[in-house]
Amino acid sequence: QQYANMSARERKLKLNQLKSEEAACYKEFQKAAEVFESIGLEKQAGQCYFSAGRYEKALEIYQRSGFNREAGEACFMLKQYAKAAEFFQRGKDYIRAIECFEECKNYEGILDILAEKKDLPAQTRTQFAKKFVPLALAALVQKIDPQIEKDQRDTEIKEGSEKEEEKRKEEDEKGKKEKKGQSNREGI
């Protein structure tokens, strides 16, 4: 039966059934991971732990076995972006490293990759440079003088208030003109 055609009760039952099946799949992946680990198939064990949502255990195995890209993915899932970027760099997956540096706002790390890794396609390097150089510069300015950012926010708030005031005045004028026009029509 189509989900859209189900009653609320049927949808709830279906959702519970799917959650139960999902939990069973995670358990199967966990069992498979333990078997693979026991017979020394590290990469397969790590993959199964990862699929079971056991990212810490997958990271441990990947790190121990030197699977840097896979370790980076596990760190990413754990929201350990700086550590993930390091693993991706070791695994020579510079695009993923840049994505991780972006997540943790480490623009300097991004610029280092762009400057050092000449094997990245020129178009890709240019595209990332255009995006991240201004962000890196803003972060650097913020480090140098935190007051600058506060002043910018204050200016933006002030400009926003001024625009709101102008808009209110325009609406008041428009309302007055409409009232005057209505009074003139009533007087005719």
Side-chain angles (χ1 to χ4, degrees):
Q1 184 178 4
Q2 292 291 328
Y3 187 79
N5 298 330
M6 292 180 180
S7 68
R9 184 177 180 280
E10 290 172 322
R11 287 181 184 182
K12 188 174 182 179
L13 288 171
K14 186 67 172 176
L15 181 62
N16 288 337
Q17 176 190 357
L18 291 172
K19 285 181 180 179
S20 176
E21 289 174 12
E22 179 183 41
C25 287
Y26 283 139
K27 286 180 185 176
E28 290 301 314
F29 276 119
Q30 173 76 28
K31 286 179 190 175
E34 291 166 0
V35 170
F36 283 130
E37 190 174 16
S38 73
I39 60 174
L41 294 174
E42 298 278 294
K43 188 169 188 176
Q44 291 83 349
Q47 289 169 333
C48 288
Y49 280 123
F50 190 95
S51 295
R54 300 274 319 277
Y55 306 117
E56 299 91 355
K57 185 69 175 171
L59 174 59
E60 176 188 317
I61 290 172
Y62 289 143
Q63 195 170 4
R64 179 176 66 221
S65 304
F67 296 113
N68 291 313
R69 290 180 182 179
E70 292 81 355
E73 292 298 344
C75 286
F76 189 88
M77 295 304 291
L78 293 167
K79 297 184 180 353
Q80 298 173 1
Y81 303 117
K83 192 173 179 181
E86 290 175 28
F87 280 116
F88 285 124
Q89 281 186 287
R90 283 187 220 144
K92 298 184 179 1
D93 189 343
Y94 302 114
I95 302 300
R96 259 329 246 139
I98 288 171
E99 291 169 353
C100 293
F101 280 136
E102 181 180 16
E103 284 293 326
C104 62
K105 296 182 178 17
N106 181 347
Y107 304 116
E108 192 174 320
I110 294 170
L111 296 183
D112 288 343
I113 289 174
L114 296 176
E116 294 170 11
K117 307 307 174 199
K118 304 297 184 201
D119 53 337
L120 283 173
Q123 184 179 2
T124 301
R125 291 174 69 224
T126 301
Q127 179 184 0
F128 281 126
K130 285 180 180 179
K131 179 177 180 181
F132 292 114
V133 167
L135 295 172
L137 183 58
L140 181 61
V141 168
Q142 172 58 30
K143 279 183 182 178
I144 294 169
D145 189 357
Q147 185 63 35
I148 291 173
E149 186 176 322
K150 183 186 179 307
D151 292 345
Q152 285 175 332
R153 280 195 311 262
D154 291 346
T155 300
E156 289 170 3
I157 291 170
K158 183 179 176 185
E159 288 173 355
S161 297
E162 289 171 355
K163 286 180 183 176
E164 285 180 27
E165 182 63 28
E166 286 178 32
K167 189 176 179 181
R168 257 188 257 120
K169 286 180 181 179
E170 288 174 9
E171 288 173 359
D172 287 347
E173 287 296 317
K174 186 178 177 182
K176 288 178 184 177
K177 288 179 182 176
E178 286 176 0
K179 274 188 174 181
K180 188 175 181 180
Q182 188 177 11
S183 295
N184 287 342
R185 277 182 261 139
E186 288 174 2
I188 295 179

